[in-house]
Each structure stands twice: as C-alpha cells, then as structure tokens.
Amino acid sequence: MYKKFLAVLGICALIAGSFLAMSGGSTSTSADAGNKFDSPNNGKVKNVIVLIGDGMGPAYTTAYRYMNDDPSTPKMERTVFDNHFVGMASTNPEDAEENVTDSAAAATSMAAGIKTYNGAISVDNNREPVGTVLEAAKKRGMATGLVATSQVNHATPAAFGAHDVSRHNYNDIADDYFDDMINGNHKVDVILGGGTSYFDREDRNLIEEFKNDGYNYVTSTEELMENDSKQMLGLFAPVGMPKAIDRPESDPSLEQMTKAAIKQLNKDKNGFFLMVEGSQIDWAGHANDAVGAMSEMEDFANAFEAAIEFAKEDKHTQVVLTADHSTGGFSIGRDGDYNFYPGPIEAAERTPEFMAQEIIDGAAVENVLNEYVSFEFTNEEMNSIKEAAETDNFDKLYSTISEVFNKRAGVGFTTSGHTGIDVPVYAYGPKSEVFSGLIDNTDIAVEVFNFLK
Ligand SMILES: [Zn+2]
C-alpha cells in the first residue's frame, strides 16, 4: 500500500525542482540535492498552515522513508518531509516536576509562544490565559481552522482554540470553541475531527448551538465534500477517529479534511490560519504499535502534501510542520540486528488495535489474523496471541499482536510515554528560513505572530 505513493512523491520532487530552477535559489535543479528554502515567492505571508505530527520524533520520519524506499534503486528515496526539512526544535516544558513535555504544554508553546506546565491549555504557570496565534489571526479578521484525527478538543487543537488549566477538561474546552467570541465572531470557523460525545452532551448540545449560528454540520466524507459553507463543524467519531488503515470510506482522511478546510478558509480575503494535527501517530507510539504509527504517518504525509500543493499555487502561504515531542522511544533496528524490514508492516491491512478489538468482540484469532495479515504467523506467534486472547484483556492482546509486527520489522520501543528528544521542523513558503537551524518550540508561535502583525 505504500508503494503507490512513490510515483506521487517522484512527481512532487520534479515540481519542487522546477520551482528551484525558476527562483534561481540554488544551482541544483533536483529536490534530492539537499535542504533549501524552496520558496516560489519572497513576498508577504497571507495564509499560515501549521501542521503538527503528534509524537512524531525523528525515528518516525526515518521509518516512513524506509517504508517508501524502492529497493530496486541504490539510494533511499526522499519523502515529502525530507524535501522540506529546515531544522530541529527543542520541546522541554517549564514544569515543576517533569522536564519531558506532554502534548498540552508543547502545543501551548507552539500556539502561544510561552513555556508552561504539562497539562496546560494556553495558560501560563500562573494559570492565566495567554493569547494564541489562532486568536491573533481572528483579531485581524482572518478565517481560522482546526483539523485533527483525535477528538478536536484534544490537547493540541485545544491549545490553539481554548484556554484551560487542564487538558482533561474536555467539555469546557469544547465550550470555549463556541463561547469565546472575538469581535463578535466565533473564534474558529472550520472545526474538523472526532468528538461528538463532547459536543452533544446531556447538559449542552454545542452541535445545535453551532448550527443555530449558521455553521454547516457534517458527519461523513460525502457531506464534507459537499460543504459549501465558510463556517463548518465536522465531527466524524464519538472520540478519536479510526486510524487511517482502519477507516471506512465514509470517514474522511486527514488529507480530505485539510483540503476541505483550505477550500473554505481561502474564501476569506484577509487570509487564514489553519492548524492540522496528525493526532494518532502519538497514540500508536504510546501503544508501541509500529503498524498503527506508519498508518498515521502516511495519513499525515498526505495532508502535508495537500498543504504544500496549495501553498505552491497560492504563493503567499507559509506552511510549517513539526512535532510536539516524540513518543514511545521508537527505534529502527533492535536486538543487535542491523535491519529494518518494511515487509511485515506492509503485510497488515488493519492495525493490531483493530484486530484485537475484533477478537475481543468474539471473532476467532486465526480468522482475524488470516483475514488482515498477508504473512504466515509462526506457531510461537500464534500461541502467544491466543494466550493473550484468553485473558480477554484488550490492552494485553493489542500489545501482543503489535509486538509480533515490531519484532519482525526490527523496531523497538523503550517507553509507553513520551521522550525528550528534539523534533524535526519542515517548512515551505515565503518565510521558511525563520524556522531553520535549532529552534525552540516557542519560536513556532513567535514567528507566526510576526506573520500576523
Ligand atoms: Zn503529543
């Protein structure tokens, strides 16, 4: 399933190369020739698209490169990430007890430009709200959007569109999206992701409230595609959306949501701010699930390509992509073996999470594995999964199935939590150079605020 993207990536490399040739920014005409600031226009930034791969440390982007390698050529092909790499970012929070960040503190840094404690949703260490880049854009009369594959009131999008002392106050965060007005307008014009259970509640129905205020409410890919309203609420799951390879066609991909958001936001003559999160790279990392992680990397890469394609046409859009932290201590190579094998990961047509759920719901272990996995399980692997299935413990079964893939692929994990390593930064647009070198995650917000002045 990963091979089909090679052709697309090749075309993108050619396009990027021809832009370079036209701009005269480099003597090289190949996107393979290293990092550059491949801006087609050195003018003003009108639109800003920030993409955040939750948990996407460097091992994830490297593994994604291996997954897309064409083994018949000696060089490893560059990915959409590689072609736009500009630097690295430090991520540490300002927390009394922890110096490895959580998603909320990191997102606050990228949204509001400050360091804060783990769990904070755009409030500082005194629990005081701090203005975000999305709010600054709305104050300037720009259109704004939040897109995620988690519930859309999860930590990362929340830090752009809400303020709360705790990321766990999901209902309050959803309320903020509706209640916080800027110049008499709702703060966020396009809201797409999971989370119906937080918007349609016993105490309050935010879906009806948004509809009453003119938002178009969509719940399927088809409705999303047909949307013609500049203000839109799209909720596609009670909490998080299914992972990309588990997703039915009735649920939109991150790329489809990104394109649908851009289409509406771009109608605003004042420009727009959009945040897109590849939310569940992190969730797969927490579960130590390499199959799920690569499923989400591909979904996120396609959304990045969509953003770049728009920016190339538009010429006044700054795209910046990074991660909030790395998750799981994901490593390429394990147990002394100098190999990463993409094959076993490609062999999975569903995530171990999906397979574990079918087994817990009563399907026979062999039937599920044979239906969704194209390699033959060894007796030892099969027995370990059957033993886990007998416990009726979903988490144990999910991790046992994941570990079969991890061992075969040659990848390891060191933790069920986050790690403190620097994260890669990618950019495309008129001001990409401001994100280059070693920056801090707060610099993302600082620079975006500069664009919005
Ligand atoms: Zn995170």
Side-chain angles (χ1 to χ4, degrees), residues 54-55 103 282 324-325 418:
D54 203 303
S103 295
D282 174 70
D324 49 355
H325 52 78
H418 296 174

PDB file of all heavy atoms in Angstrom, residues 54-55 103 282 324-325 418, ligand 1:
ATOM      1  N   ASP A  54       1.629  14.703  16.054  1.00  0.00           N
ATOM      2  CA  ASP A  54       1.716  14.440  17.493  1.00  0.00           C
ATOM      3  C   ASP A  54       2.587  13.211  17.729  1.00  0.00           C
ATOM      4  O   ASP A  54       2.328  12.148  17.181  1.00  0.00           O
ATOM      5  CB  ASP A  54       0.323  14.257  18.104  1.00  0.00           C
ATOM      6  CG  ASP A  54       0.348  14.536  19.593  1.00  0.00           C
ATOM      7  OD1 ASP A  54       1.123  13.878  20.309  1.00  0.00           O
ATOM      8  OD2 ASP A  54      -0.396  15.420  20.050  1.00  0.00           O
ATOM      9  N   GLY A  55       3.635  13.394  18.510  1.00  0.00           N
ATOM     10  CA  GLY A  55       4.525  12.270  18.845  1.00  0.00           C
ATOM     11  C   GLY A  55       5.543  11.912  17.774  1.00  0.00           C
ATOM     12  O   GLY A  55       6.300  10.956  17.922  1.00  0.00           O
ATOM     13  N   SER A 103       1.652  16.781  25.519  1.00  0.00           N
ATOM     14  CA  SER A 103       1.138  17.435  24.310  1.00  0.00           C
ATOM     15  C   SER A 103       0.588  18.825  24.601  1.00  0.00           C
ATOM     16  O   SER A 103       0.664  19.715  23.750  1.00  0.00           O
ATOM     17  CB  SER A 103       0.039  16.592  23.675  1.00  0.00           C
ATOM     18  OG  SER A 103       0.563  15.380  23.223  1.00  0.00           O
ATOM     19  N   ASP A 282       1.032   9.689  17.770  1.00  0.00           N
ATOM     20  CA  ASP A 282       1.294   9.626  19.214  1.00  0.00           C
ATOM     21  C   ASP A 282       0.576   8.451  19.874  1.00  0.00           C
ATOM     22  O   ASP A 282       1.162   7.751  20.698  1.00  0.00           O
ATOM     23  CB  ASP A 282       0.823  10.942  19.836  1.00  0.00           C
ATOM     24  CG  ASP A 282       0.906  10.936  21.343  1.00  0.00           C
ATOM     25  OD1 ASP A 282       2.040  10.945  21.868  1.00  0.00           O
ATOM     26  OD2 ASP A 282      -0.149  10.923  22.012  1.00  0.00           O
ATOM     27  N   ASP A 324       5.242  17.753  18.429  1.00  0.00           N
ATOM     28  CA  ASP A 324       5.242  18.336  19.771  1.00  0.00           C
ATOM     29  C   ASP A 324       6.270  17.659  20.682  1.00  0.00           C
ATOM     30  O   ASP A 324       6.724  18.238  21.661  1.00  0.00           O
ATOM     31  CB  ASP A 324       3.838  18.297  20.388  1.00  0.00           C
ATOM     32  CG  ASP A 324       3.175  16.937  20.289  1.00  0.00           C
ATOM     33  OD1 ASP A 324       3.745  16.015  19.670  1.00  0.00           O
ATOM     34  OD2 ASP A 324       2.065  16.787  20.845  1.00  0.00           O
ATOM     35  N   HIS A 325       6.632  16.422  20.338  1.00  0.00           N
ATOM     36  CA  HIS A 325       7.575  15.601  21.126  1.00  0.00           C
ATOM     37  C   HIS A 325       7.660  14.278  20.403  1.00  0.00           C
ATOM     38  O   HIS A 325       6.919  14.059  19.437  1.00  0.00           O
ATOM     39  CB  HIS A 325       7.041  15.377  22.561  1.00  0.00           C
ATOM     40  CG  HIS A 325       5.645  14.849  22.564  1.00  0.00           C
ATOM     41  ND1 HIS A 325       5.352  13.533  22.309  1.00  0.00           N
ATOM     42  CD2 HIS A 325       4.438  15.470  22.703  1.00  0.00           C
ATOM     43  CE1 HIS A 325       4.039  13.367  22.321  1.00  0.00           C
ATOM     44  NE2 HIS A 325       3.452  14.530  22.538  1.00  0.00           N
ATOM     45  N   HIS A 418       6.239   9.614  26.627  1.00  0.00           N
ATOM     46  CA  HIS A 418       6.958  10.487  25.688  1.00  0.00           C
ATOM     47  C   HIS A 418       8.461  10.436  25.933  1.00  0.00           C
ATOM     48  O   HIS A 418       8.897  10.003  26.990  1.00  0.00           O
ATOM     49  CB  HIS A 418       6.492  11.942  25.860  1.00  0.00           C
ATOM     50  CG  HIS A 418       5.059  12.154  25.517  1.00  0.00           C
ATOM     51  ND1 HIS A 418       4.401  13.347  25.712  1.00  0.00           N
ATOM     52  CD2 HIS A 418       4.132  11.317  24.974  1.00  0.00           C
ATOM     53  CE1 HIS A 418       3.150  13.236  25.309  1.00  0.00           C
ATOM     54  NE2 HIS A 418       2.958  12.021  24.869  1.00  0.00           N
TER      55      HIS A 418
HETATM   56 ZN    ZN B   1       1.631  14.992  21.851  1.00  0.00          ZN
END
